[in-house]
Amino acid sequence: MFKHSDALVLEDSLIRLRHALHREPELGLDLPLTQRKVLDALAGLPLEITLGKRLTSVTAVLRGGRPGPAVLLRGDMDALPVQEDSGVPYASQVPGRMHACGHDLHTAGLVGAARLLAARREELAGDVVFMFQPGEEGMRGAALMIEEGVLDAAGSRVVAAYALHVTSTLLPTGFAAVRPGPMLAASDTVTVRVAGAGGHGSTPHSAKDPVPAVCEMVTALQTMVTRTVDVFDPAVVTVGSLHAGSAGNVIPEHAEFEATVRSFSAATQAKVRAGIEQTVRGVAAAHGVAADVDYRENYPVTVNDPEEAAFALRTAQDLLGADHAFEAPRPLTGSEDFSFVLREVPGAYVGLGACPPDRDPATAAMNHSPRAVFDDRAVLDAAVLLAELAARRLGRTAEEAV
């Protein structure tokens, strides 16, 4: 239904929107300036719009000209607490905030898809739900939007859902990757607090030192993973924060560390959680200290429905070229809260290249880096791919019904 030539007339306006979003990034669940920009960009389109109650989301429903089911397209809108150092002329004007993950491109691309689909809504055999979501970066915004009814916004549960994510590295602009099954990892956070008995550094025998206990825990967790987790259903445990004490000659009362845990199945996730708790408590007992384990399951595995992933791949190949869209050989250990959507309805999550042509995808600054740069031209790929996925999926259901 759609080609890049159909969207060329939108390219300049979508890039301007992307730059406006990039200059004024917002964090978390409350994005009033971003929401206003989205609403202004959607003004005049035949959409039924609902705003979020607990977050500044925008849910827009486009009614097709023919009867049929509903499909959902998602674009996340929040930025990161990163000081931008990209050197682009439209860089963030807000200190300490940056669209370092490309969500400004996602938002502009979803606006473009809405415009494309609205222009041909009489041909659509069903409805399209546009999910403009805050709070993807660790705030579970998708889960909140589901609780507020986004999956049923058209009047019935959507039959499929699609989202994409741009990358400033790995893939040049104009390339896409998708795979069936796990696409991204589950993400959990564990915080371990160890309580001992403080004392003077010169007489450790009269204290209960939490520091060596914590150090042993950190290294023991790595052994635990390699000896309990199937290498073909892997997990990653990385300790990124460790704190103890205030002076070199003082044994502190407390020490703590925080880790991220990534896994690709519920079975491994449960096994790693149990292993962490057992390892930490065992080491604590050996050192005569007490340990508290706070394990938080954040995002589940992002799992692409096999049929929808194959459909998304065929669609991307038709739009971008057979040699520009491929099945990813393995999942990535990043995480994504579109996983909450895919846990409820079948769909696909697609990786989209946005590495600028003057940079090497193998060495370019990656997403979340203060020096990450995304190619403006990817906004057109995003708009056309999202629109085509929705239109073809509705058409496929109509054909199956006949």
Side-chain angles (χ1 to χ4, degrees):
M1 177 178 276
F2 296 104
K3 301 177 182 178
H4 277 75
S5 56
D6 299 322
L8 283 175
V9 68
L10 302 177
E11 186 173 24
D12 289 345
S13 64
L14 295 179
I15 290 175
R16 286 196 300 272
L17 172 61
R18 186 249 163 159
H19 289 180
L21 293 166
H22 196 94
R23 281 191 289 266
E24 294 187 289
E26 296 178 291
L27 307 179
L29 299 172
D30 188 25
L31 319 176
L33 298 177
T34 302
Q35 184 187 58
R36 183 71 263 162
K37 290 181 178 70
V38 168
L39 292 172
D40 289 345
L42 298 176
L45 299 181
L47 301 170
E48 300 169 11
I49 292 178
T50 304
L51 305 184
K53 297 180 177 62
R54 288 180 289 170
L55 68 174
T56 53
S57 60
V58 177
T59 300
V61 178
L62 176 69
R63 301 293 181 185
R66 295 186 287 151
V71 298
L72 180 143
L73 303 175
R74 195 287 302 260
D76 40 1
M77 305 191 294
D78 54 323
L80 285 159
V82 171
Q83 180 62 45
E84 183 158 4
D85 187 26
S86 67
V88 298
Y90 50 88
S92 171
Q93 297 175 354
V94 183
R97 298 181 182 180
M98 177 189 175
H99 268 294
C101 203
H103 294 185
D104 50 339
L105 269 164
H106 301 169
T107 303
L110 188 55
V111 166
R115 292 181 182 174
L116 288 169
L117 289 163
R120 301 177 69 171
R121 72 186 184 96
E122 294 302 325
E123 303 173 40
L124 299 178
D127 307 325
V128 183
V129 178
F130 301 95
M131 178 182 177
F132 291 91
Q133 181 212 311
E136 191 282 323
E137 297 288 353
M139 302 296 289
R140 299 168 65 94
L144 290 176
M145 289 191 71
I146 291 171
E147 290 176 12
E148 294 193 354
V150 69
L151 300 182
D152 303 296
S156 61
R157 179 60 52 107
V158 297
V159 297
Y162 306 100
L164 53 79
H165 204 301
V166 295
T167 175
S168 61
T169 183
L170 300 177
L171 294 175
T173 303
F175 284 76
V178 65
R179 72 186 310 275
M183 183 75 178
L184 294 169
S187 173
D188 303 334
T189 301
V190 57
T191 302
V192 175
R193 299 177 180 89
V194 176
H200 197 284
S202 64
T203 55
H205 62 281
S206 62
K208 292 185 177 180
D209 193 346
V211 174
V214 163
C215 293
E216 186 172 330
M217 289 172 189
V218 171
T219 56
L221 288 179
Q222 304 308 311
T223 302
M224 180 275 295
V225 170
T226 64
R227 291 299 177 268
T228 62
V229 175
D230 185 344
V231 68
F232 296 107
D233 186 11
V236 174
V237 177
T238 297
V239 175
S241 173
L242 192 155
H243 298 278
S246 57
N249 63 345
V250 176
I251 294 174
E253 292 275 343
H254 301 93
E256 71 173 60
F257 66 88
E258 186 170 325
T260 185
V261 181
R262 307 298 168 108
S263 56
F264 295 98
S265 73
T268 291
Q269 185 182 38
K271 184 179 292 185
V272 171
R273 177 172 186 166
I276 288 174
E277 293 173 348
Q278 182 180 27
T279 299
V280 165
R281 293 197 170 98
V283 172
H287 284 261
V289 296
D292 174 70
V293 182
D294 179 16
Y295 195 103
R296 299 182 298 282
E297 295 183 3
N298 299 326
Y299 290 171
V301 183
T302 302
V303 181
N304 284 339
D305 177 83
E307 184 177 354
E308 296 297 345
F311 161 70
L313 177 57
R314 292 193 303 271
T315 303
Q317 288 173 335
D318 289 345
L319 290 173
L320 302 175
D323 59 343
H324 279 218
F326 59 94
E327 182 176 312
R330 58 183 178 271
L332 299 176
T333 49
S335 61
E336 162 64 69
D337 78 344
F338 192 63
S339 55
F340 290 110
V341 175
L342 294 182
R343 194 166 62 177
E344 300 293 328
V345 297
Y349 183 84
V350 181
L352 190 65
C355 183
D358 61 343
R359 296 169 190 246
D360 182 352
T363 58
M366 67 185 302
N367 292 31
H368 287 218
S369 166
R371 292 175 294 281
V373 177
F374 301 86
D375 190 349
D376 279 333
R377 297 174 304 159
V379 73
L380 205 61
D381 293 336
V384 176
L385 180 56
L386 288 171
E388 187 68 8
L389 285 169
R392 285 196 188 190
R393 183 61 179 81
L394 293 176
R396 190 178 90 199
T397 300
E399 291 173 0
E400 291 170 351
V402 172

